[in-house]
Amino acid sequence: MHELSIVEGLMGIIRETAGEHGLTRVTRVKLRIGAMRQVVPDALRFAFEVTGKDTVAEGAEIVITDVPTKAHCNDCGSDFAVEEFCFVCTACGSGQIDVTEGKELYIDSLEGE
Ligand SMILES: [Zn+2]
């Protein structure tokens, strides 16, 4: 379950950010997660529950925004959405593509008190 290591990384940022803003409790964490990350939302929430115990983020609501995978074709120049991990240009069929979106995994915002 790679969600646990993801959350451990995020928790460090959450603790730091909460400290910087003088928050004693984080109530909501908004995340942007790209489809390429293959994160299972339920597993991520569970990992937060476990990792967040006895921290500022205990019981925080986790809001996940999915970022679909997009790619750019280096042969014909078109930008397209990648469906079902099919990494082939939808316009010309080329495999010479760069993934431009869908790899993100970061904290969009934190709410607390
Ligand atoms: Zn193309």
Side-chain angles (χ1 to χ4, degrees):
M1 173 166 131
H2 75 142
E3 282 79 2
L4 197 58
S5 58
I6 291 171
V7 168
E8 278 167 359
L10 292 174
M11 282 302 293
I13 300 167
I14 291 170
R15 260 190 239 112
E16 213 170 277
T17 310
E20 274 169 23
H21 293 84
L23 302 175
T24 53
R25 209 164 75 86
V26 173
T27 51
R28 185 180 286 169
V29 180
K30 285 191 184 170
L31 301 171
R32 286 182 74 81
I33 302 178
M36 292 282 289
R37 296 291 188 149
Q38 292 186 279
V39 167
V40 180
D42 281 349
L44 193 81
R45 287 198 176 86
F46 178 72
F48 252 105
E49 237 169 74
V50 174
T51 316
K53 216 168 163 41
D54 300 319
T55 72
V56 285
E58 182 165 7
E61 185 194 351
I62 308 301
V63 182
I64 298 169
T65 303
D66 297 310
V67 182
T69 306
K70 287 189 184 153
H72 177 81
C73 176
N74 291 318
D75 278 336
C76 75
S78 73
D79 292 291
F80 57 97
V82 177
E83 306 282 354
E84 307 292 329
F85 292 89
C86 182
F87 294 99
V88 175
C89 175
T90 51
C92 74
S94 168
Q96 302 299 314
I97 64 164
D98 286 325
V99 173
T100 51
E101 278 181 55
K103 289 181 186 167
E104 32 296 82
L105 199 167
Y106 61 89
I107 297 169
D108 206 10
S109 68
L110 277 185
E111 284 174 34
E113 50 197 30

